Amino acid sequence: MKPAAFDYVVPRTVPEAVAALGDTGRKAQVLAGGQSLILDMHLQRIRPELVVDINRIAGLDRLSVDGDTLRVGALVRHRVFESAQAVPGPLGALFARAVVNIAHPPIRSRGTMVGSFAWAHPASEWCAIGTALGADIEVCGLEGRRTVAARDWFHGPHRTARRPQELITAVRFPLLGDDTGVGFVEHRRTHFCFAQVAVAAALTVCDGVISEARIGLVNCADRPLRAHAAEQALIGTEVGAPVDGYRLPDGHPFTHAGRIAANQDAAPLPEPFADVEYKRHVIAVLVGRTLCQAANDRRSRLAQPKGDHT
């Protein structure tokens, strides 16, 4: 099949892009990486009347740190995060562990993180990480600029708080301190499939006790989730000695948190090769493994010479 006919504009500034999106009232789509958009247009799952290509807008490809916040511009490609050094501290390590699960190198070279927030696929790694860490999405429209918290951004598969005339300009993440360990584990049928389940975790530990836990669930509902009940069960828990995530004892706090996440936080939907019961089992297992990875990450981080954290 071929895409339906559409008009194509290439703005040079954000105001020009916003004007193009809001001026005519036509169905419009924004082209940044286009790795999902072009396929859906090719199959005519979507039929935009106008495509607004933002790749010529200067400054949208910037990755910057302002105080304790990382700002990811709308044209920053996935591949940037393959190096843990691209982002300071544990956040860089978390991004590096997650990004290798996104498709394969050609797509990571063109696709964008912000595009994932725009597309809002339930199996998006970035969307779950943003939800877990409390990211903010910056948008610009005819009525000006506004910021939407990730917890309020996702309304369902491919549905977000973005208004039709708005352009997402960046996503902001809070940086993580060196007392935080991170983990990311994904399960899928083949390397080229979407995740059946994936889990992101960040554990902050003070004096051997978990003081904060953040757990993001991928493809465990019709939108990315934060596992609040499982997180609360971990607060005040002693980390204890290192444990192999593949051999977690039945009574371990991480095992308990996994079961809570699977049965209280998640709302999995059945899909081919993964019914609800199977997905709940995988969620419980992966949450435990990811928490182990995060706890071990913090230990190894503290063991490194100061200034050599990656």
Side-chain angles (χ1 to χ4, degrees), residues 265-309:
D265 293 307
L269 300 174
E271 58 184 271
F273 309 106
D275 61 19
V276 170
E277 182 180 1
Y278 174 79
K279 292 186 81 169
R280 288 196 190 280
H281 171 73
V282 175
I283 292 165
V285 172
L286 261 58
V287 167
R289 289 180 184 175
T290 309
L291 291 171
C292 283
Q293 190 181 90
N296 293 334
D297 174 72
R298 179 183 175 275
R299 290 189 186 94
S300 62
R301 193 174 301 282
L302 294 178
Q304 294 174 12
K306 192 172 183 180
D308 188 36
H309 298 331

Side-chain angles (χ1 to χ4, degrees), residues 75-230:
L75 292 177
V76 177
R77 312 296 173 180
H78 299 304
R79 66 180 181 187
V80 170
F81 304 104
E82 291 178 359
S83 168
Q85 285 73 39
V87 175
L91 187 60
L94 177 58
F95 283 179
R97 287 176 181 171
V99 72
V100 295
N101 294 284
I102 297 174
H104 39 86
I107 287 179
R108 294 199 293 270
S109 294
R110 191 63 189 168
T112 66
M113 174 192 280
V114 171
S116 295
F117 282 83
W119 209 242
H121 195 289
S124 166
E125 293 84 359
W126 294 135
C127 295
I129 291 174
T131 300
L133 299 184
D136 291 313
I137 296 90
E138 297 179 5
V139 293
C140 184
L142 295 175
E143 298 178 357
R145 296 179 181 270
R146 67 188 181 107
T147 299
V148 183
R151 65 177 178 272
D152 301 320
W153 179 254
F154 303 100
H155 294 174
H158 308 300
R159 295 191 297 114
T160 70
R162 186 181 77 86
R163 298 163 186 160
Q165 80 282 6
E166 288 181 325
L167 174 70
I168 308 174
T169 54
V171 176
R172 300 198 308 262
F173 291 84
L175 293 175
L176 302 175
D178 285 339
D179 56 351
T180 299
V182 296
F184 190 94
V185 179
E186 183 161 317
H187 172 70
R188 48 189 166 170
R189 291 188 64 240
T190 75
H191 183 73
F192 299 105
C193 293
F194 284 110
Q196 288 182 324
V197 173
V199 179
L203 292 180
T204 302
V205 180
C206 297
D207 298 324
V209 175
I210 297 173
S211 59
E212 184 179 32
R214 291 178 176 267
I215 303 171
L217 303 179
V218 178
N219 209 14
C220 297
D222 67 345
R223 66 198 71 187
L225 293 179
R226 183 174 173 186
H228 290 285

Side-chain angles (χ1 to χ4, degrees), residues 51-74:
V51 172
V52 181
D53 185 342
I54 65 172
N55 281 280
R56 307 297 194 280
I57 300 179
L60 290 186
D61 60 348
R62 290 178 186 164
L63 183 69
S64 59
V65 174
D66 181 12
D68 59 356
T69 301
L70 172 75
R71 186 177 186 273
V72 182

